[in-house]
Amino acid sequence: LLVDLINVVRSDEPPIVAVTLLNPRLTPERLSGKQLILDLQARDERGQRYNIEMQVRRFALWGARGILYLARLLSEQLEAGQDYRRLKPVIGIHLLDFTLFEDPDQADQALWCFEMRDRLRPAVRLGRELQLNIVELRKADRLGQLP
């Protein structure tokens, strides 16, 4: 089911070929601490890496944490002196059990995809190395946007 979910969210990318559950036991200390642990990772047939997360509690700096997790996945791919062409894109898929974007003009969208693009010319993309997909589950259900 998880592989199917990832493949639906990322339907324009190659299919997932591997999913790894890391640290399946969450202790109260880990829930309240700031230790960075990626609990679920996946890889597609091109070698692109995925961080999949379910967030049930809203907190002010959630976005910063999501970006930090992706940056960690990206930076762990190379050792000093290795060629940057070896980097594979990292893609976050974060399922939120709360509404993150609450402004009235954001009420009709629950599926979000953030990439490295120019502010004035969004068609100009810096690269494919970082992408964060967010699914606001409650809003998506209400809007009928879940596949």
Side-chain angles (χ1 to χ4, degrees):
L1 288 175
L2 177 62
V3 169
D4 288 344
L5 172 67
I6 297 167
N7 288 335
V8 165
V9 171
R10 299 289 303 139
S11 61
D12 57 333
E13 295 291 341
I16 294 297
V17 295
V19 175
T20 305
L21 178 62
L22 305 174
N23 304 309
R25 293 192 178 102
L26 289 176
T27 63
E29 298 81 33
R30 281 192 47 211
L31 289 173
S32 62
K34 296 211 181 318
Q35 184 179 5
L36 291 176
I37 297 174
L38 299 175
D39 294 310
L40 193 55
Q41 293 181 13
R43 184 175 37 83
D44 67 22
E45 60 189 27
R46 282 192 208 150
Q48 297 181 125
R49 297 168 185 228
Y50 294 78
N51 163 237
I52 299 91
E53 180 176 324
M54 174 69 178
Q55 182 67 39
V56 296
R57 288 183 292 206
R58 183 183 180 127
F59 60 94
L61 298 176
W62 173 85
R65 189 183 84 182
I67 296 297
L68 186 58
Y69 279 23
L70 290 180
R72 176 175 249 197
L73 265 183
L74 189 65
S75 68
E76 289 175 345
Q77 292 183 47
L78 295 180
E79 300 291 328
Q82 289 183 317
D83 191 333
Y84 288 104
R85 288 178 284 201
R86 294 181 56 177
L87 280 178
K88 300 292 183 186
V90 294
I91 299 157
I93 300 175
H94 293 204
L95 308 170
L96 308 183
D97 193 30
F98 57 88
T99 298
L100 182 64
F101 301 105
E102 297 178 325
D103 288 348
D105 66 332
Q106 301 162 343
D108 63 342
Q109 183 175 342
L111 308 174
W112 303 85
C113 180
F114 296 93
E115 300 173 322
M116 298 286 292
R117 296 181 181 270
D118 182 71
R119 182 181 299 183
L120 298 176
R121 294 187 177 148
V124 178
R125 191 170 168 175
L126 184 58
R128 297 180 38 94
E129 288 76 24
L130 290 171
Q131 184 182 96
L132 180 56
N133 296 272
I134 297 172
V135 180
E136 297 172 289
L137 292 171
R138 293 179 189 199
K139 191 192 298 183
D141 186 43
R142 181 176 43 83
L143 295 171
Q145 292 182 350
L146 292 174

